[in-house]
Amino acid sequence: MKALRFILLAVAALVTCLLVFIHFFPAKVLMFALDAERKQAGLVRKEIHFGRDLHYVFLEGGQGEPLMLLHGFGANKDNFTRIARFLTPHYRVIIPDHTGFGESAKPKGASYTPTEQAKRLHELALALGISKVHLGGNSMGGQIALVYAQLYPDSVESLWLLAPGGLWKGPVADIWKELEKNPQALNPLVLEREEDVVALVSLVMEKPPFTPKAFLKLIARERMANASIEKQVFTDIQSHDITEDIRGLDIPSLIVWGNKDRVLHPGNADLLHELLPNSRRVLMEGIGHLPMMEAPEKSAEDYLKFRKTIQSAVPLG
């Protein structure tokens, strides 16, 4: 009994110390946590420079066929770190920060349209010695992946589309309908006030992983510092509807959508399935806009099954 009491007191003391450390040194603890998660996934931080105004910071790990994963609007490369540990045993995984986000270049006056972003990523792929690539992307990243495939169809082996953007003529989520009624309201995806970060997390994820408030504040401050670029990016991606550009794109594609997605309407999965003749779709129950963060193991399992269908040449449907 005394031993159990001692263990419980020791655990309580450790938890208290950790909470205190998080409170006073949140940036250091967050970086430590990210480094640990990257290490578990077999990922290493790298960077490559193409000139003063263009450089990429990216995570890379694993061996096999190249799989490039593209994060969504307002996010960064670590949105895919949690799921990467299920992927690096099978593939060479590359996860860049898009230009304008994370640690990559943020050139003033640059164009952030999906077309320009896709061209930059193609330059990155070639610099890494990649001529054929499997692409995965969430939200804005999915939109960029589709544009990349349309621009360079002979370079893309398959597409993994996790609630991709760009289908602006499809079903619209309620949040954007409400914004149309009140144009003066703030864009909920662009953080301009620290206190809005909790609402943003609840908007994009139905089952968000636990994140200490100190970490959320750090994330909010980084997003606020990048708000001017994000507003430009948002305008650039909204101005590019990709529906007709990708119609009939005959690349093996896995379409994944959470049925609780409140950012991009799940009904767009059906529309995209009709546009891509060589596609299959997965609707994830109880999942929001970020399947790879909310259900990383299940999302990876579905993807690995999809890749096996490509290898065995089983028709998709």
Side-chain angles (χ1 to χ4, degrees), residues 2 19 53 74 96 109 129 131-132 139 150 155 168 177 190 198 201 229-232 238 282 300 304 311:
K2 288 183 179 180
L19 291 174
D53 292 331
S131 58
K132 299 276 189 179
S139 196
Q150 182 258 329
S155 298
W168 308 134
K177 293 178 183 178
V190 177
V198 175
V201 171
I229 288 180
E230 290 190 13
K231 288 178 181 179
Q232 180 186 343
Q238 284 284 316
V282 173
L304 292 172
Q311 293 167 359

mmCIF file of all heavy atoms in Angstrom, residues 2 19 53 74 96 109 129 131-132 139 150 155 168 177 190 198 201 229-232 238 282 300 304 311:
data_model
loop_
_atom_site.group_PDB
_atom_site.id
_atom_site.type_symbol
_atom_site.label_atom_id
_atom_site.label_comp_id
_atom_site.label_asym_id
_atom_site.label_seq_id
_atom_site.Cartn_x
_atom_site.Cartn_y
_atom_site.Cartn_z
ATOM 1 N N LYS A 2 1.943 1.211 0.808
ATOM 2 C CA LYS A 2 2.854 2.355 0.862
ATOM 3 C C LYS A 2 3.563 2.542 -0.468
ATOM 4 O O LYS A 2 3.779 3.665 -0.919
ATOM 5 C CB LYS A 2 3.878 2.153 1.983
ATOM 6 C CG LYS A 2 3.299 2.312 3.389
ATOM 7 C CD LYS A 2 4.393 2.168 4.427
ATOM 8 C CE LYS A 2 3.830 2.357 5.842
ATOM 9 N NZ LYS A 2 4.895 2.221 6.871
ATOM 10 N N LEU A 19 3.643 20.206 -16.237
ATOM 11 C CA LEU A 19 2.708 21.303 -16.470
ATOM 12 C C LEU A 19 3.366 22.651 -16.213
ATOM 13 O O LEU A 19 3.141 23.621 -16.951
ATOM 14 C CB LEU A 19 1.468 21.127 -15.589
ATOM 15 C CG LEU A 19 0.550 19.943 -15.945
ATOM 16 C CD1 LEU A 19 -0.554 19.800 -14.918
ATOM 17 C CD2 LEU A 19 -0.037 20.122 -17.338
ATOM 18 N N ASP A 53 14.530 33.930 -52.657
ATOM 19 C CA ASP A 53 13.088 33.990 -52.416
ATOM 20 C C ASP A 53 12.390 32.633 -52.434
ATOM 21 O O ASP A 53 11.168 32.568 -52.328
ATOM 22 C CB ASP A 53 12.420 34.908 -53.451
ATOM 23 C CG ASP A 53 12.813 36.358 -53.271
ATOM 24 O OD1 ASP A 53 13.113 36.744 -52.127
ATOM 25 O OD2 ASP A 53 12.835 37.099 -54.274
ATOM 26 N N GLY A 74 -3.170 27.160 -43.660
ATOM 27 C CA GLY A 74 -2.907 27.545 -42.284
ATOM 28 C C GLY A 74 -2.140 26.514 -41.487
ATOM 29 O O GLY A 74 -1.869 26.723 -40.300
ATOM 30 N N PRO A 96 6.718 18.609 -47.210
ATOM 31 C CA PRO A 96 7.214 19.986 -47.201
ATOM 32 C C PRO A 96 6.245 20.971 -46.548
ATOM 33 O O PRO A 96 5.032 20.754 -46.524
ATOM 34 C CB PRO A 96 7.348 20.306 -48.689
ATOM 35 C CG PRO A 96 6.263 19.481 -49.330
ATOM 36 C CD PRO A 96 6.108 18.233 -48.488
ATOM 37 N N GLY A 109 4.757 39.519 -52.249
ATOM 38 C CA GLY A 109 4.334 39.785 -53.621
ATOM 39 C C GLY A 109 4.278 38.553 -54.501
ATOM 40 O O GLY A 109 3.991 38.660 -55.700
ATOM 41 N N GLY A 129 15.583 14.462 -56.936
ATOM 42 C CA GLY A 129 15.797 13.301 -57.793
ATOM 43 C C GLY A 129 14.553 12.483 -58.036
ATOM 44 O O GLY A 129 14.634 11.285 -58.343
ATOM 45 N N SER A 131 11.339 11.747 -60.239
ATOM 46 C CA SER A 131 10.678 11.962 -61.528
ATOM 47 C C SER A 131 9.256 11.405 -61.522
ATOM 48 O O SER A 131 8.393 11.872 -62.265
ATOM 49 C CB SER A 131 11.484 11.306 -62.661
ATOM 50 O OG SER A 131 11.646 9.910 -62.419
ATOM 51 N N LYS A 132 9.017 10.390 -60.659
ATOM 52 C CA LYS A 132 7.688 9.805 -60.499
ATOM 53 C C LYS A 132 7.329 9.849 -59.017
ATOM 54 O O LYS A 132 8.130 9.440 -58.167
ATOM 55 C CB LYS A 132 7.672 8.345 -60.967
ATOM 56 C CG LYS A 132 8.024 8.152 -62.438
ATOM 57 C CD LYS A 132 6.810 8.362 -63.313
ATOM 58 C CE LYS A 132 7.097 7.950 -64.751
ATOM 59 N NZ LYS A 132 5.912 8.114 -65.624
ATOM 60 N N SER A 139 -7.076 19.181 -47.888
ATOM 61 C CA SER A 139 -7.652 20.509 -48.054
ATOM 62 C C SER A 139 -6.953 21.269 -49.179
ATOM 63 O O SER A 139 -6.942 20.817 -50.324
ATOM 64 C CB SER A 139 -7.582 21.258 -46.717
ATOM 65 O OG SER A 139 -8.436 22.380 -46.715
ATOM 66 N N GLN A 150 -2.654 17.454 -62.888
ATOM 67 C CA GLN A 150 -3.156 17.960 -64.163
ATOM 68 C C GLN A 150 -2.021 18.574 -64.995
ATOM 69 O O GLN A 150 -1.973 18.419 -66.211
ATOM 70 C CB GLN A 150 -4.257 18.995 -63.892
ATOM 71 C CG GLN A 150 -4.913 19.572 -65.126
ATOM 72 C CD GLN A 150 -4.412 20.963 -65.471
ATOM 73 O OE1 GLN A 150 -4.033 21.735 -64.589
ATOM 74 N NE2 GLN A 150 -4.415 21.282 -66.747
ATOM 75 N N SER A 155 4.063 12.361 -64.358
ATOM 76 C CA SER A 155 4.942 12.297 -63.187
ATOM 77 C C SER A 155 4.236 11.770 -61.945
ATOM 78 O O SER A 155 4.882 11.464 -60.948
ATOM 79 C CB SER A 155 5.508 13.695 -62.879
ATOM 80 O OG SER A 155 6.292 14.172 -63.958
ATOM 81 N N TRP A 168 -15.172 24.436 -55.879
ATOM 82 C CA TRP A 168 -15.960 25.534 -55.304
ATOM 83 C C TRP A 168 -17.385 25.599 -55.832
ATOM 84 O O TRP A 168 -18.209 26.348 -55.302
ATOM 85 C CB TRP A 168 -15.245 26.860 -55.544
ATOM 86 C CG TRP A 168 -13.813 26.866 -55.091
ATOM 87 C CD1 TRP A 168 -12.745 27.331 -55.786
ATOM 88 C CD2 TRP A 168 -13.280 26.394 -53.838
ATOM 89 N NE1 TRP A 168 -11.583 27.174 -55.069
ATOM 90 C CE2 TRP A 168 -11.885 26.601 -53.871
ATOM 91 C CE3 TRP A 168 -13.836 25.814 -52.699
ATOM 92 C CZ2 TRP A 168 -11.052 26.241 -52.811
ATOM 93 C CZ3 TRP A 168 -13.005 25.447 -51.651
ATOM 94 C CH2 TRP A 168 -11.638 25.670 -51.709
ATOM 95 N N LYS A 177 -21.824 29.503 -45.849
ATOM 96 C CA LYS A 177 -23.135 30.106 -46.094
ATOM 97 C C LYS A 177 -23.397 31.217 -45.084
ATOM 98 O O LYS A 177 -23.898 32.291 -45.432
ATOM 99 C CB LYS A 177 -24.231 29.042 -45.992
ATOM 100 C CG LYS A 177 -24.189 27.987 -47.084
ATOM 101 C CD LYS A 177 -25.274 26.943 -46.870
ATOM 102 C CE LYS A 177 -25.209 25.840 -47.909
ATOM 103 N NZ LYS A 177 -26.248 24.792 -47.659
ATOM 104 N N VAL A 190 -8.597 32.061 -40.765
ATOM 105 C CA VAL A 190 -7.465 32.982 -40.629
ATOM 106 C C VAL A 190 -7.475 33.521 -39.206
ATOM 107 O O VAL A 190 -8.410 34.205 -38.807
ATOM 108 C CB VAL A 190 -7.552 34.150 -41.633
ATOM 109 C CG1 VAL A 190 -6.386 35.122 -41.417
ATOM 110 C CG2 VAL A 190 -7.549 33.630 -43.060
ATOM 111 N N VAL A 198 -9.125 28.125 -30.096
ATOM 112 C CA VAL A 198 -9.894 26.971 -29.607
ATOM 113 C C VAL A 198 -11.069 26.677 -30.540
ATOM 114 O O VAL A 198 -11.344 25.524 -30.879
ATOM 115 C CB VAL A 198 -10.385 27.208 -28.163
ATOM 116 C CG1 VAL A 198 -11.283 26.062 -27.714
ATOM 117 C CG2 VAL A 198 -9.205 27.354 -27.211
ATOM 118 N N VAL A 201 -9.796 24.979 -33.740
ATOM 119 C CA VAL A 201 -9.507 23.551 -33.559
ATOM 120 C C VAL A 201 -10.807 22.742 -33.584
ATOM 121 O O VAL A 201 -10.886 21.686 -34.209
ATOM 122 C CB VAL A 201 -8.744 23.312 -32.240
ATOM 123 C CG1 VAL A 201 -8.644 21.823 -31.941
ATOM 124 C CG2 VAL A 201 -7.341 23.924 -32.313
ATOM 125 N N ILE A 229 -0.239 37.048 -45.185
ATOM 126 C CA ILE A 229 0.033 36.105 -46.277
ATOM 127 C C ILE A 229 -1.126 35.122 -46.424
ATOM 128 O O ILE A 229 -1.557 34.800 -47.533
ATOM 129 C CB ILE A 229 1.361 35.351 -46.049
ATOM 130 C CG1 ILE A 229 2.543 36.290 -46.279
ATOM 131 C CG2 ILE A 229 1.468 34.132 -46.963
ATOM 132 C CD1 ILE A 229 3.894 35.651 -46.085
ATOM 133 N N GLU A 230 -1.652 34.653 -45.287
ATOM 134 C CA GLU A 230 -2.744 33.690 -45.346
ATOM 135 C C GLU A 230 -3.981 34.269 -46.031
ATOM 136 O O GLU A 230 -4.685 33.569 -46.752
ATOM 137 C CB GLU A 230 -3.076 33.187 -43.946
ATOM 138 C CG GLU A 230 -1.984 32.289 -43.370
ATOM 139 C CD GLU A 230 -2.400 31.592 -42.088
ATOM 140 O OE1 GLU A 230 -3.609 31.607 -41.766
ATOM 141 O OE2 GLU A 230 -1.521 31.018 -41.411
ATOM 142 N N LYS A 231 -4.234 35.550 -45.810
ATOM 143 C CA LYS A 231 -5.374 36.188 -46.482
ATOM 144 C C LYS A 231 -5.174 36.180 -47.988
ATOM 145 O O LYS A 231 -6.111 35.921 -48.751
ATOM 146 C CB LYS A 231 -5.553 37.621 -45.970
ATOM 147 C CG LYS A 231 -6.096 37.709 -44.559
ATOM 148 C CD LYS A 231 -6.202 39.158 -44.112
ATOM 149 C CE LYS A 231 -6.716 39.261 -42.681
ATOM 150 N NZ LYS A 231 -6.800 40.675 -42.229
ATOM 151 N N GLN A 232 -3.951 36.448 -48.422
ATOM 152 C CA GLN A 232 -3.655 36.423 -49.853
ATOM 153 C C GLN A 232 -3.788 35.008 -50.405
ATOM 154 O O GLN A 232 -4.358 34.797 -51.475
ATOM 155 C CB GLN A 232 -2.242 36.948 -50.119
ATOM 156 C CG GLN A 232 -1.881 36.951 -51.607
ATOM 157 C CD GLN A 232 -0.443 37.326 -51.873
ATOM 158 O OE1 GLN A 232 0.236 37.889 -51.013
ATOM 159 N NE2 GLN A 232 0.048 37.021 -53.066
ATOM 160 N N GLN A 238 -9.223 30.390 -53.544
ATOM 161 C CA GLN A 238 -10.656 30.519 -53.805
ATOM 162 C C GLN A 238 -10.934 30.924 -55.246
ATOM 163 O O GLN A 238 -12.006 30.634 -55.790
ATOM 164 C CB GLN A 238 -11.265 31.557 -52.851
ATOM 165 C CG GLN A 238 -11.462 31.063 -51.430
ATOM 166 C CD GLN A 238 -12.653 30.141 -51.297
ATOM 167 O OE1 GLN A 238 -13.714 30.407 -51.843
ATOM 168 N NE2 GLN A 238 -12.480 29.051 -50.575
ATOM 169 N N VAL A 282 -13.669 6.898 -49.655
ATOM 170 C CA VAL A 282 -13.866 6.408 -48.292
ATOM 171 C C VAL A 282 -14.476 7.540 -47.487
ATOM 172 O O VAL A 282 -13.925 8.645 -47.435
ATOM 173 C CB VAL A 282 -12.532 5.973 -47.646
ATOM 174 C CG1 VAL A 282 -12.738 5.635 -46.173
ATOM 175 C CG2 VAL A 282 -11.929 4.786 -48.385
ATOM 176 N N ALA A 300 -4.141 5.610 -42.504
ATOM 177 C CA ALA A 300 -2.992 4.938 -43.105
ATOM 178 C C ALA A 300 -3.370 3.540 -43.593
ATOM 179 O O ALA A 300 -2.939 3.101 -44.670
ATOM 180 C CB ALA A 300 -1.849 4.854 -42.099
ATOM 181 N N LEU A 304 -2.851 2.183 -47.361
ATOM 182 C CA LEU A 304 -2.026 1.017 -47.689
ATOM 183 C C LEU A 304 -2.833 0.002 -48.508
ATOM 184 O O LEU A 304 -2.308 -0.614 -49.451
ATOM 185 C CB LEU A 304 -1.490 0.372 -46.414
ATOM 186 C CG LEU A 304 -0.457 1.203 -45.633
ATOM 187 C CD1 LEU A 304 -0.147 0.551 -44.294
ATOM 188 C CD2 LEU A 304 0.814 1.391 -46.431
ATOM 189 N N GLN A 311 -0.991 -1.942 -57.103
ATOM 190 C CA GLN A 311 0.050 -2.919 -57.398
ATOM 191 C C GLN A 311 -0.515 -4.173 -58.049
ATOM 192 O O GLN A 311 0.094 -4.780 -58.921
ATOM 193 C CB GLN A 311 0.799 -3.292 -56.124
ATOM 194 C CG GLN A 311 1.607 -2.150 -55.543
ATOM 195 C CD GLN A 311 2.099 -2.433 -54.126
ATOM 196 O OE1 GLN A 311 1.820 -3.485 -53.569
ATOM 197 N NE2 GLN A 311 2.815 -1.488 -53.551
#
